[in-house]
């Protein structure tokens, strides 16, 4: 099994975020990918660089005006502030915006969900490198490999067609799913299984009306956990996508066994969908040691989840999402991946 990683991703170094009304250090640090990289190398994975990714490659999922904004926001922002600082919006067009604003402080709120997703000088370049890892992984499956691991950072599942949020800018898993769905000529069904402890509102949004890409997510109840406004069980898809979106919210103090029961339900739904490919949004922020994620799961539970998912025997791309505890993160990732075949069969 190959791991795809780009060191361009390390350029993204968010300085801080505002959460709970306080300025805090940002948990999405480059040491996350460094820890995972070391562990996958030790586990014998071949690490390869992604092929480069152009704006056309991300247009399958993201809007032109949003890509343009991401590419230019930092420069516009530093042009109006005296101290160079990351772009963090302060005003949001909630509920009934009447028109799209034209200048940077308002645009920042137009294109972002929260105050936790700063845009720095190199954020766009790093996000493109992260997307490139996922797209390269999708190409590997299209050329017949059984599985691949995209070591993506920044993560992607909170980012929608035209917004960032939750530390995410480009939706890596959605980009991979879109490529897998259309890449083999005729359209093929793709299932996305999201195991990050937060609901992937962006991925859900992107495929909400699709009958070709099904989104299935296990996450903490959004009544008490980010992203708060999405991720409820009654969100089941719309139009042709009706019935193909499955949210399995769990209480924040869920036990390992109950989480694995939810995984069984998720996998049963995926089997009924009969996808040609599986994309796993693997967040390990549900680990007990992780202070960003709300669950308290054991590393052994990630291993069991990996075994259950690998048991589907679908061509599978595992895409890294969250996971912030630098001590336990890499162990949870390699535990999950250990059940996938080491070599193409
Ligand atoms: N006090 C991902 O895992 N809010 N994003 C945390 C904690 C943001 C995390 C607040 C959580 C988003 C990809
Ligand atoms: Zn998360």
């Amino acid at each position: 099994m190959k791991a795809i990683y780009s060191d361009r991703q390390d350029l993204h170094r968010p300085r801080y975020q505002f959460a709970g009304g306080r300025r805090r250090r940002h948990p999405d640090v480059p040491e996350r990918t460094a820890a995972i990289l070391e562990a996958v190398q030790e586990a014998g994975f071949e690490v390869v660089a992604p092929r480069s990714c152009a704006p056309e490659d991300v247009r399958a999922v993201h809007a032109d005006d949003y890509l343009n904004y991401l590419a230019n926001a930092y420069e516009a922002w530093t042009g109006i502030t005296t101290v160079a600082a990351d772009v963090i919006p302060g005003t949001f067009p909630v509920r009934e915006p009447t028109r799209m604003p034209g200048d940077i402080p308002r645009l920042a709120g137009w294109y972002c969900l929260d105050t936790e997703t700063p845009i720095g000088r190199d954020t766009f370049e790093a996000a493109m490198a992260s997307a490139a890892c996922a797209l390269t992984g999708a190409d590997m499956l299209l050329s017949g490999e059984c599985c691949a691991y995209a070591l993506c950072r920044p993560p992607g599942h909170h980012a929608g067609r035209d917004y960032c949020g939750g530390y995410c800018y480009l939706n890596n898993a959605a980009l991979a799913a879109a490529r897998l769905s259309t890449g083999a000529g005729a359209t093929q069904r793709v299932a996305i299984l999201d195991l990050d402890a937060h609901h992937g509102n962006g991925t859900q949004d992107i495929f909400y009306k699709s009958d070709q890409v099904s989104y299935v997510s296990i996450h903490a109840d959004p009544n008490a956990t980010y992203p708060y406004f999405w991720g409820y069980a009654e969100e089941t898809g719309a139009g042709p996508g009706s019935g193909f979106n499955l949210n399995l919210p769990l209480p924040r103090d869920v036990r390992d066994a109950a989480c694995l029961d939810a995984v069984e339900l998720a996998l049963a739904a995926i089997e009924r969908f009969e996808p040609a490919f599986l994309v796993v949004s693997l967040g390990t922020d549900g680990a007990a040691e992780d202070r960003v994620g709300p669950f308290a799961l054991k590393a052994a539970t990630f291993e069991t989840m990996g075994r259950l998912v690998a048991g589907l025997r679908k061509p599978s791309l595992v895409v890294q999402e969250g996971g912030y505890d630098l001590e336990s993160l890499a162990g949870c990732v390699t535990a999950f991946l250990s059940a996938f075949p080491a070599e193409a069969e």
Side-chain angles (χ1 to χ4, degrees), residues 28 38 58 90 106 164 173 182 188 204 207 219 244 253 334:
D28 187 15
E38 194 185 313
V58 294
R106 265 67 57 180
C164 53
T182 57
Q188 303 202 72
Q204 166 172 303
F207 298 115
H219 50 267
F244 298 126
D253 58 358
T334 51

Side-chain angles (χ1 to χ4, degrees), residues 19 24 116 155 157-158 166-168 196 198 226 285 292 321-322 324:
R24 300 167 198 262
E116 304 182 347
H157 74 154
H158 297 300
Y167 318 161
C168 304
D196 188 281
H198 304 98
Y226 190 94
D285 47 11
V292 177
E321 300 285 357
Y324 306 94

Side-chain angles (χ1 to χ4, degrees), residues 17-24 115-116 228:
Q17 62 168 329
F18 295 99
R22 287 162 66 180
R23 180 174 153 159
R24 300 167 198 262
T115 55
E116 304 182 347
Y228 305 112

Side-chain angles (χ1 to χ4, degrees), residues 54-333:
E56 301 83 80
D57 295 314
V58 294
R59 278 192 197 120
V61 160
H62 292 287
D64 260 351
D65 62 308
Y66 173 62
L67 295 171
N68 205 35
Y69 164 76
L70 271 188
N72 298 305
Y74 182 78
E75 217 172 304
W77 183 265
T78 52
I80 59 146
T81 55
T82 45
V83 186
D86 295 347
V87 182
I88 297 179
T91 307
F92 299 89
V94 292
R95 301 202 183 94
E96 302 273 342
T98 52
R99 60 181 155 135
M100 187 172 166
D103 59 350
I104 183 67
R106 265 67 57 180
L107 279 175
W110 183 263
Y111 286 118
C112 192
L113 293 175
D114 54 44
T115 55
E116 304 182 347
T117 315
I119 300 172
R121 192 190 61 198
D122 301 313
T123 296
F124 183 63
E125 181 171 352
M128 288 291 281
S130 186
C133 291
L135 285 167
T136 301
D139 287 341
M140 286 176 180
L141 299 199
L142 286 171
S143 60
E145 295 202 28
C146 71
C147 44
Y149 170 61
L151 210 185
C152 294
R153 178 185 166 275
H157 74 154
H158 297 300
R161 184 179 171 273
D162 61 357
Y163 53 87
C164 53
Y167 318 161
C168 304
Y169 307 85
L170 299 174
N171 195 316
N172 308 312
L175 285 160
R179 162 92 35 113
L180 286 166
S181 180
T182 57
T187 319
Q188 303 202 72
R189 279 194 298 282
V190 178
I192 302 174
L193 173 63
D194 192 328
L195 297 175
D196 188 281
H198 304 98
H199 176 248
N201 60 286
T203 317
Q204 166 172 303
D205 193 6
I206 288 163
F207 298 115
Y208 206 63
K209 294 181 177 165
S210 171
D211 58 357
Q212 294 302 308
V213 179
S214 174
Y215 177 73
V216 178
S217 178
I218 296 167
H219 50 267
D221 183 353
N223 264 307
T225 303
Y226 190 94
Y228 305 112
F229 308 114
W230 306 276
Y232 296 96
E234 66 261 28
E235 298 156 22
T236 55
S242 290
F244 298 126
N245 193 90
L246 177 62
N247 285 327
L248 297 165
L250 298 171
R252 287 172 67 94
D253 58 358
V254 71
R255 303 287 205 92
D256 293 72
C259 181
L260 291 171
D261 289 347
V263 173
E264 301 270 17
L265 284 176
L267 295 179
I270 289 170
E271 283 202 292
R272 285 194 298 274
F273 186 64
E274 298 185 341
F277 298 102
L278 177 67
V279 174
V280 181
S281 268
L282 177 64
T284 61
D285 47 11
E289 300 82 356
D290 198 298
R291 311 253 320 255
V292 177
F295 296 154
L297 303 177
K298 301 182 184 79
T301 299
F302 285 95
E303 186 177 343
T304 308
M305 289 196 275
R307 205 162 48 236
L308 294 171
V309 175
L312 283 181
R313 304 204 148 268
K314 300 279 179 193
S316 301
L317 173 65
V318 180
V319 175
Q320 187 66 42
E321 300 285 357
Y324 306 94
D325 177 67
L326 296 174
E327 298 291 314
S328 62
L329 164 63
C332 293
V333 172

